[in-house]
Amino acid sequence: MKQPARAVAIFWIVLTWIVLGVPVRVAAEPIASLRPSNYVNDFAGVLDSATQARLNDLCFQVDAAEVE
């Protein structure tokens, strides 16, 4: 392998290693710090408040129907 081609190959290997290694280094939020407050707890902030309300209502209805 020629010297410039070898340097380019090493560069791409190192760059790939860095890009793939960075997400692994990000620490997750400790589970103990999460405080669930309802049936649906969107700790990631993915659901809007209307969707959370609908899901909580549906879960409440299912829970109430199991009691009867």
Side-chain angles (χ1 to χ4, degrees):
M1 188 181 285
K2 295 181 182 179
Q3 189 66 16
R6 185 176 182 176
V8 170
I10 291 173
F11 169 76
W12 283 111
I13 290 170
V14 170
L15 182 64
T16 302
W17 179 72
I18 290 171
V19 168
L20 294 177
V22 168
V24 175
R25 305 276 188 261
V26 177
E29 186 174 354
I31 293 176
S33 69
L34 303 176
R35 300 285 182 241
S37 60
N38 219 331
Y39 289 105
V40 176
N41 295 284
D42 183 24
F43 297 119
V46 177
L47 302 173
D48 60 20
S49 59
T51 302
Q52 288 183 44
R54 285 195 323 249
L55 289 171
N56 279 319
D57 184 50
L58 178 64
C59 292
F60 179 76
Q61 290 175 15
V62 168
D63 198 26
E66 289 177 359
V67 174
E68 294 174 356

